[in-house]
Amino acid sequence: MKLFIVGKVDVLIITETKLDSTFLSSQFCIFGFSKPFRFDRNRKGGGVMVFIREDIPCKELFLHKLPNDIEGIFLELNLRKSKWLIFATYHPPNQNDTYYFQSVSFALDTYSKLYDKFLLAGDFNSEDSELALSTFLEKYDAKNIVKDKTCYKSLQNPSCIDLFISNSPKSFMKTITICTGLSDFHKMVITVLKSSFKKAPPREISYRDYKNFDRDTFRDNLKEALKGNINGYQSFEEKFIEILGNQAPIKRKVVRANHATYMTKVLRKAIMKRSELKTKYLKKNTQNNLKAYKKQRNYCSKLYKKEKKKYYNNLNVTQIKDNREFWKNVKPFLSDKGGNFSRITLVNENDEIVCDDLELANTFSDHFETAVTCVNVDNPNLSHNLLNSTNQIQSVISKFESHPSILKIKECVNLENAFNFEITNKDEISEEISNLDNKKNGTYGNIPTKIIKDNYDICSSFLENIWNKEMIHDSVFQDKLKLADVTPVYKKKDKTSVENYRPISVLPTFSKVFEKLIQKQITAYIENILSPYICGYRKGFSTQNALVLLIERWKKELDGKGYSGAILMDLSKAFDTINHELLIAKLNAYGFSEKALALILSYLTNRWQRVKINTSFSSWKELTQGVPQGSVLGPLLFNIYLNDLFMFLNEVGISNYADDTTLYVCGSNLKNVIEKLEQNSEVAIFWFESNFMQLNTEKCKLIVSGLKHEQIWANIGDDVIWESKDVELLGITLDSELKFEKHISKICSKAHQKISILSRMAKFLTLNKKRILFKAFFESQFQYCPLVWMFQSRAAQTKINALHERALRITYNNYYSTFEELLEKDGSVTIHISNIRKLVTEIYKVFNDLGNDSYLELLQANNSNYNLRNQNDLKVPTIKTVWKGENSIRFLGAVLWNLLPNEIKSAESLSIFKAKIKHWQPLECPCRLCKNYINGVGFVTISN
């Protein structure tokens, strides 16, 4: 007999009992339990019994009928604040695991329309590390909360097979196991179900009060105020804020930290009324008071469901397509505690908890200041001595005229014309203002974006004058535009450590407008000078470009039985350690005039920042080096600062995105590959040191592909780095065999979580909304770098298809049609077919000069070794292996393009091509995933 107890002896679950069920029933009824729910399909002594306390509403469920050989009972447990789906089960050890969990899965999908939370309890005869159960847990974003060993049939190797599985593990506490002597090998498992959660403390927020705001009056007052003597940007901003403050003053209020996103004024008032009537009833226990309270309670319940349904159906899909926005807008709404606010709590060096907003702000401010100086104590500041010199620009140029980077730039770059900033007009400024995002406001107390956009016609002439006179003529970037509010953004690992947060600067909105104008003019000049391997923050470039070239070069070498190796380099505080003086000297070497350099120097210097935590601020501190993360211009300046590194590295391939730089080498001899990596790593380390950056060799990683029989190591700087089986590169988990199994498992896990939430939302949504959200919840998980991992194994494809099928079943509430029928009903295709279409789309871009040229070396026109433009067919390369040859873009891309009908190939524009490609599927695709398996023959392509 195996006992599972939930709560304070509220629910008792007994599985595989050998005692008489009538005896058990009579004994447990003494302790206030109801008659048991029983599963007994001709099993001696009863298979599963569940005793539930008499005063807890519960019922057995029959909506989904389990197969006859699956032992279990589905129950509804109706608690005070929520309903739980309980499944008490016994899984015999001789029963197929995949079959068992698939049967339970179908049942859970059926009941997901009615119940948000479930608890599965019983003897599963399977540990959560085993494939079938781990896949099941991943599918439902569930966890086993039993951590101790429960089965001691083998004393030397005990196991945990008696489990509590829930998709809401935070709802349980004090899960333990106890030896009772009732069972021969098994301990009794106990857990406690929490019925309430500690509320988060309220928080103070600031806002502009638009209650008495009159647009016409504001515009009239603004026009009148700007008619006076406006002397520069500072005077313009002060006048603007003064007029705005009169009609929309800044106020503060305290709000609940767990404020529900669907909460409305009507619902809030109804809840307050319900609380009032409940208090009245508790004070005076009369039938009238009870009747009034119950009536209001029922009204609140109906109104809650109505507002929840309304919220979901009005949910803006653009708010949840981005992964961060999804968790911000949806997950908190469905979590146990609710709310969309995460309070920062730190633990300082003395192991004291820091949670006061002001103390947190000062702690972060001190850390962000000292973190940079600790990284590079030898990095000279752009000091006040330089700012006070008679000729700032010439002093900088002279100081670094013999610097290796400056000499290399002058050696490699041929300049024709010097770069100067140009004057602009009101139309260009108005265009940049119209492109601003209303949701992204500037610093605290500054002018909101929506007010700027609504009054750009009044402002544009003043902004034009500020740009043309102050910035272009006087080469001055106003100090008021350089004041930043810094928000600490959590990165990873321990949330209580200050080191795991990065500073993101929030700048005044007008600063973004002027930075955009500067960025646009610099980009037009510098774009052709930047290395094609710099893929960060550039139009037409992405992480996919950086990764595809690396992986395809590796596959080509491995297909010829060669070797590939890579060093993943980790820079410490790369953006924050950029030396302002050296950046100015590099810009001069790239052909920037002294007047243009003066404006950029003004932009970089005399920058001040403070840390903002809610409505508390640290003191102001000067930013003496680096570029602000969160600014418009910062990423472009970083790319320019890094660009000459690629001029020093000619014997290795480089994969770069922002501060992630990876050196890789391909060759037929493993020893030569490692030697080249070591030599070029030394070159890179020398560059980092001379450019005031620091390579964190402890976090550098080595990965090697190819047939070998020993573990490889390399000397990087003063450290020895041993090879890793897999590494994280630009968000992709890359293994040495290039199979991407671990990466696909990770993205499938994320998709499972979102589909589980979709299943909980489905009952509130219309079919059309479910389809839209399905695209955002499911397909978006597979949009990142699909050409990198699209050549996955059949096992990985099966996992993705099973996930896809589950999402479609939830969307259409259809649990009987096949996967193919569901795809046809939805008008969609599998993820693999979708990736094939993306691949030929990239080739179309290359043919028509619309894409990145990095794909050029992977493809070769049929009648030319060099010219790919305006060619209809591609040369299919000779390959030697399936995994590294057939499963490559250079091979499959050529085959698929040649299979594509000329009508689609010759599409007049990219939009027309994409419209036509939606209806195309390759009938004779040679890839392994599209082939059919015939027993005794193997994988073959079957033509229609």
Side-chain angles (χ1 to χ4, degrees):
M1 181 177 69
K2 301 166 187 179
L3 298 174
F4 302 84
I5 295 181
V6 183
K8 298 179 181 178
V9 201
D10 293 332
V11 180
L12 177 68
I13 301 170
I14 305 176
T15 67
E16 205 184 7
T17 176
K18 296 177 181 177
L19 297 179
D20 181 73
S21 58
T22 306
F23 170 78
L24 284 170
S25 300
S26 62
Q27 293 302 308
F28 285 114
C29 283
I30 295 173
F31 299 104
F33 290 102
S34 63
K35 292 293 181 180
F37 296 96
R38 291 180 51 194
F39 173 88
D40 186 4
R41 293 213 177 103
N42 300 319
R43 283 182 54 83
K44 186 177 179 181
V48 179
M49 285 195 295
V50 182
F51 294 85
I52 299 179
R53 210 175 69 190
E54 287 182 319
D55 58 338
I56 296 179
C58 61
K59 63 180 180 181
E60 188 171 356
L61 302 174
F62 302 97
L63 180 62
H64 181 92
K65 186 178 180 181
L66 289 167
N68 289 334
D69 55 348
I70 300 296
E71 300 184 27
I73 311 168
F74 276 102
L75 302 170
E76 176 195 287
L77 205 63
N78 195 338
L79 302 177
R80 184 166 59 93
K81 291 186 177 181
S82 62
K83 290 183 180 180
W84 278 79
L85 176 68
I86 306 292
F87 180 52
T89 183
Y90 171 66
H91 170 43
N94 59 349
Q95 190 173 53
N96 182 273
D97 289 349
T98 303
Y99 167 73
Y100 170 79
F101 286 111
Q102 189 177 54
S103 300
V104 176
S105 178
F106 284 145
L108 284 182
D109 286 342
T110 302
Y111 286 116
S112 66
K113 303 189 292 285
L114 303 173
Y115 303 95
D116 291 342
K117 303 174 183 178
F118 64 74
L119 172 69
L120 314 183
D123 180 1
F124 288 85
N125 272 304
S126 180
E127 297 195 76
D128 53 17
S129 60
E130 295 178 27
L131 180 61
L133 180 51
S134 63
T135 302
F136 176 83
L137 295 176
E138 184 183 82
K139 182 176 181 179
Y140 291 97
D141 189 25
K143 289 184 180 179
N144 166 39
I145 60 175
V146 181
K147 302 304 178 186
D148 299 333
K149 303 297 183 182
T150 63
C151 178
Y152 286 83
K153 188 170 288 188
S154 170
L155 295 177
Q156 290 75 28
N157 187 27
S159 58
C160 180
I161 59 175
D162 306 297
L163 312 176
F164 283 131
I165 294 173
S166 177
N167 63 343
S168 182
K170 291 182 180 179
S171 297
F172 298 89
M173 62 181 182
K174 299 180 181 178
T175 303
I176 59 173
T177 59
I178 298 176
C179 185
T180 62
L182 293 174
S183 176
D184 43 6
F185 303 118
H186 296 261
K187 286 187 174 183
M188 180 172 66
V189 187
I190 301 174
T191 191
V192 177
L193 174 63
K194 294 186 284 186
S195 59
S196 62
F197 295 89
K198 184 180 178 180
K199 292 182 179 179
R203 60 191 177 101
E204 186 179 63
I205 63 170
S206 61
Y207 67 101
R208 280 198 180 271
D209 184 6
Y210 291 97
K211 185 176 181 180
N212 299 316
F213 183 79
D214 183 271
R215 179 178 181 272
D216 294 334
T217 303
F218 171 77
R219 287 174 61 84
D220 291 340
N221 292 343
L222 184 61
K223 288 177 184 176
E224 188 65 30
L226 294 179
K227 285 181 181 178
N229 184 22
I230 304 299
N231 185 20
Y233 173 78
Q234 183 168 342
S235 177
F236 165 78
E237 182 188 277
E238 290 172 353
K239 287 285 185 182
F240 201 120
I241 293 176
E242 180 185 353
I243 301 300
L244 179 62
N246 292 334
Q247 287 210 32
I250 296 178
K251 293 185 177 181
R252 295 188 178 189
K253 66 178 179 181
V254 176
V255 298
R256 291 175 54 182
N258 59 343
H259 179 76
T261 52
Y262 56 84
M263 184 62 65
T264 63
K265 192 173 183 179
V266 175
L267 179 56
R268 188 182 293 108
K269 285 187 175 181
I271 292 173
M272 291 171 65
K273 183 66 176 176
R274 181 190 65 187
S275 300
E276 179 186 333
L277 292 173
K278 183 180 180 181
T279 303
K280 186 177 180 181
Y281 165 68
L282 292 174
K283 285 183 177 179
K284 195 171 184 181
N285 190 348
T286 66
Q287 284 297 320
N288 288 337
N289 287 347
L290 177 61
K291 185 178 179 180
Y293 163 63
K294 285 187 173 181
K295 183 178 179 180
Q296 185 66 20
R297 183 189 64 187
N298 294 340
Y299 170 71
C300 284
S301 179
K302 291 179 182 178
L303 190 59
Y304 161 78
K305 293 176 182 177
K306 177 183 175 182
E307 294 298 341
K308 197 172 181 181
K309 186 173 183 179
K310 182 179 176 182
Y311 170 82
Y312 278 131
N313 281 296
N314 290 337
L315 194 63
N316 187 352
V317 177
T318 58
Q319 292 181 332
I320 59 174
K321 282 186 177 180
D322 174 71
N323 196 57
R324 186 182 68 177
E325 290 299 314
F326 169 84
W327 293 114
K328 177 182 175 183
N329 288 283
V330 178
K331 180 61 184 285
F333 174 45
L334 296 162
S335 69
D336 294 322
K337 299 182 181 180
N340 57 4
F341 172 70
S342 178
R343 183 175 291 275
I344 297 175
T345 302
L346 298 177
V347 177
N348 63 20
E349 295 177 352
N350 301 322
D351 290 332
E352 297 172 340
I353 296 175
V354 180
C355 55
D356 177 71
D357 288 348
L358 181 58
E359 190 176 355
L360 283 170
N362 287 319
T363 302
F364 277 115
S365 181
D366 293 339
H367 170 72
F368 293 149
E369 182 183 37
T370 57
V372 177
T373 55
C374 289
V375 167
N376 219 320
V377 293
D378 296 326
N379 191 345
N381 293 334
L382 184 60
S383 62
H384 291 289
N385 294 330
L386 175 64
L387 296 176
N388 295 330
S389 63
T390 55
N391 195 330
Q392 303 173 15
I393 304 303
Q394 280 301 325
S395 298
V396 170
I397 294 171
S398 299
K399 182 176 180 179
F400 290 98
E401 61 184 356
S402 59
H403 189 276
S405 289
I406 304 302
L407 297 176
K408 179 63 76 170
I409 292 171
K410 291 181 177 179
E411 175 190 332
C412 298
V413 178
N414 296 319
L415 301 174
E416 296 181 359
N417 301 308
F419 171 79
N420 277 295
F421 288 108
E422 299 176 354
I423 62 172
T424 189
N425 54 50
K426 289 190 292 185
D427 292 337
E428 285 189 71
I429 292 174
S430 297
E431 181 183 353
E432 295 302 334
I433 291 176
S434 64
N435 291 331
L436 293 172
D437 187 350
N438 282 346
K439 295 177 185 176
K440 295 182 179 179
N441 283 320
T443 51
Y444 175 81
N446 211 277
I447 309 167
T449 303
K450 68 175 184 179
I451 296 295
I452 293 174
K453 293 181 72 172
D454 194 39
N455 298 277
Y456 74 90
D457 55 324
I458 301 174
C459 306
S460 55
S461 59
F462 292 94
L463 298 176
E464 178 188 14
N465 183 60
I466 291 166
W467 171 266
N468 293 333
K469 183 179 183 300
E470 294 185 30
M471 296 193 175
I472 302 302
H473 184 267
D474 299 336
S475 298
V476 173
F477 197 91
Q478 284 290 331
D479 290 344
K480 290 280 284 185
L481 293 169
K482 295 182 283 188
L483 300 178
D485 288 341
V486 173
T487 302
V489 175
Y490 170 70
K491 294 186 291 185
K492 57 183 177 180
K493 297 183 180 179
D494 183 12
K495 284 189 175 183
T496 63
S497 173
V498 69
E499 295 179 355
N500 294 325
Y501 291 79
R502 66 161 56 95
I504 300 299
S505 299
V506 178
L507 292 157
T509 304
F510 279 125
S511 175
K512 300 173 188 177
V513 174
F514 291 125
E515 285 188 61
K516 276 284 186 182
L517 294 172
I518 294 174
Q519 180 200 46
K520 188 179 289 186
Q521 293 190 22
I522 292 178
T523 301
Y525 173 79
I526 203 75
E527 184 63 26
N528 293 329
I529 299 175
L530 292 179
S531 168
Y533 300 113
I534 293 180
C535 295
Y537 317 114
R538 297 174 71 184
K539 187 176 181 180
F541 289 77
S542 66
T543 51
Q544 181 165 268
N545 297 123
L547 289 166
V548 162
L549 197 57
L550 176 149
I551 290 166
E552 287 297 312
R553 285 177 175 176
W554 282 22
K555 285 184 177 180
K556 185 175 181 180
E557 192 65 46
L558 295 173
D559 189 47
K561 297 185 178 181
Y563 298 91
S564 300
I567 295 289
L568 283 70
M569 296 189 158
D570 183 85
L571 292 173
S572 299
K573 307 292 180 183
F575 277 78
D576 300 323
T577 55
I578 289 179
N579 182 273
H580 293 165
E581 294 175 309
L582 181 54
L583 174 59
I584 293 298
K586 287 187 179 186
L587 290 169
N588 173 70
Y590 284 123
F592 282 62
S593 69
E594 288 190 23
K595 200 164 184 62
L597 293 175
L599 176 58
I600 296 174
L601 180 62
S602 177
Y603 169 83
L604 291 170
T605 55
N606 200 28
R607 301 193 74 92
W608 294 78
Q609 64 182 33
R610 61 182 179 178
V611 175
K612 176 180 179 293
I613 304 290
N614 296 324
T615 54
S616 298
F617 300 88
S618 69
S619 57
W620 289 99
K621 293 191 176 178
E622 187 176 8
L623 191 69
T624 57
Q625 61 189 44
V627 292
Q629 296 186 55
S631 65
V632 174
L633 203 50
L636 175 59
L637 295 177
F638 180 84
N639 281 347
I640 295 172
Y641 193 84
L642 192 70
N643 188 57
D644 62 280
L645 168 63
F646 300 85
M647 301 174 188
F648 286 87
L649 300 169
N650 298 317
E651 297 182 351
V652 290
I654 306 173
S655 175
N656 169 266
Y657 192 92
D659 58 341
D660 287 311
T661 300
T662 299
L663 309 183
Y664 61 93
V665 175
C666 302
S668 57
N669 185 286
L670 179 58
K671 184 180 179 181
N672 291 341
V673 167
I674 300 301
E675 286 178 354
K676 276 191 176 183
L677 280 175
E678 291 177 334
Q679 292 166 5
N680 283 273
S681 295
E682 289 298 322
V683 174
I685 291 172
F686 168 76
W687 187 93
F688 293 135
E689 290 176 350
S690 61
N691 283 266
F692 311 109
M693 288 182 165
Q694 182 172 314
L695 181 68
N696 188 347
T697 51
E698 293 181 358
K699 291 186 178 180
C700 290
K701 292 185 178 180
L702 168 68
I703 184 169
V704 180
S705 290
L707 183 61
K708 51 189 172 56
H709 303 287
E710 69 282 341
Q711 193 174 11
I712 307 301
W713 54 270
N715 290 309
I716 307 299
D718 297 328
D719 295 329
V720 174
I721 300 177
W722 290 89
E723 68 168 314
S724 303
K725 290 184 178 179
D726 55 69
V727 295
E728 188 81 15
L729 179 57
L730 300 180
I732 298 289
T733 303
L734 179 68
D735 60 78
S736 58
E737 296 184 2
L738 303 182
K739 291 188 175 180
F740 303 102
E741 299 295 307
K742 195 171 182 179
H743 177 73
I744 291 171
S745 292
K746 188 195 304 182
I747 57 178
C748 282
S749 178
K750 291 180 180 179
H752 274 307
Q753 293 175 359
K754 292 189 176 183
I755 290 175
S756 295
I757 291 176
L758 176 61
S759 68
R760 295 162 68 177
M761 294 168 57
K763 57 188 175 185
F764 299 105
L765 300 170
T766 62
L767 176 60
N768 184 52
K769 198 70 175 183
K770 279 193 287 187
R771 288 190 75 253
I772 294 172
L773 290 177
F774 160 68
K775 301 291 183 183
F777 277 55
F778 174 77
E779 293 187 358
S780 62
Q781 298 305 305
F782 301 90
Q783 299 298 316
Y784 181 71
C785 297
L787 302 189
V788 174
W789 53 263
M790 66 177 289
F791 302 103
Q792 72 269 19
S793 66
R794 279 184 169 256
Q797 186 190 36
T798 300
K799 183 182 290 189
I800 294 173
N801 286 346
L803 186 61
H804 196 170
E805 180 181 348
R806 181 182 172 220
L808 289 172
R809 292 196 186 284
I810 293 169
T811 301
Y812 291 98
N813 193 22
N814 184 330
Y815 298 92
Y816 305 102
S817 300
T818 64
F819 181 38
E820 291 72 20
E821 290 170 342
L822 289 168
L823 287 172
E824 185 177 355
K825 185 179 182 69
D826 188 58
S828 58
V829 293
T830 62
I831 297 298
H832 179 61
I833 296 298
S834 176
N835 289 341
I836 284 176
R837 292 174 177 175
K838 289 171 185 172
L839 174 55
V840 294
T841 301
E842 289 299 322
I843 297 175
Y844 175 85
K845 290 180 182 178
V846 174
F847 267 110
N848 295 274
D849 292 318
L850 300 173
N852 189 291
D853 284 348
S854 61
Y855 293 118
L856 276 173
E857 72 172 68
L858 308 179
L859 306 168
Q860 192 175 31
N862 224 351
N863 59 351
S864 171
N865 291 332
Y866 306 102
N867 183 23
L868 188 66
R869 313 300 185 194
N870 302 319
Q871 301 295 326
N872 284 329
D873 292 321
L874 293 174
K875 183 178 180 180
V876 179
T878 303
I879 57 170
K880 297 179 180 179
T881 64
V882 172
W883 194 253
K884 305 299 188 297
E886 277 191 10
N887 291 344
S888 65
I889 290 177
R890 66 190 179 93
F891 174 80
L892 185 63
V895 173
L896 291 173
W897 183 258
N898 294 342
L899 288 174
L900 201 63
N902 287 328
E903 177 192 357
I904 301 178
K905 291 182 186 178
S906 58
E908 296 177 356
S909 66
L910 182 60
S911 58
I912 295 174
F913 180 86
K914 287 182 176 180
K916 290 182 177 181
I917 205 72
K918 284 182 179 179
H919 307 287
W920 174 77
Q921 289 192 42
L923 297 178
E924 298 181 7
C925 179
C927 78
R928 188 176 178 84
L929 298 180
C930 292
K931 291 179 179 179
N932 291 276
Y933 181 78
I934 300 177
N935 193 23
V937 178
F939 293 99
V940 297
T941 302
I942 299 178
S943 354
N944 291 342

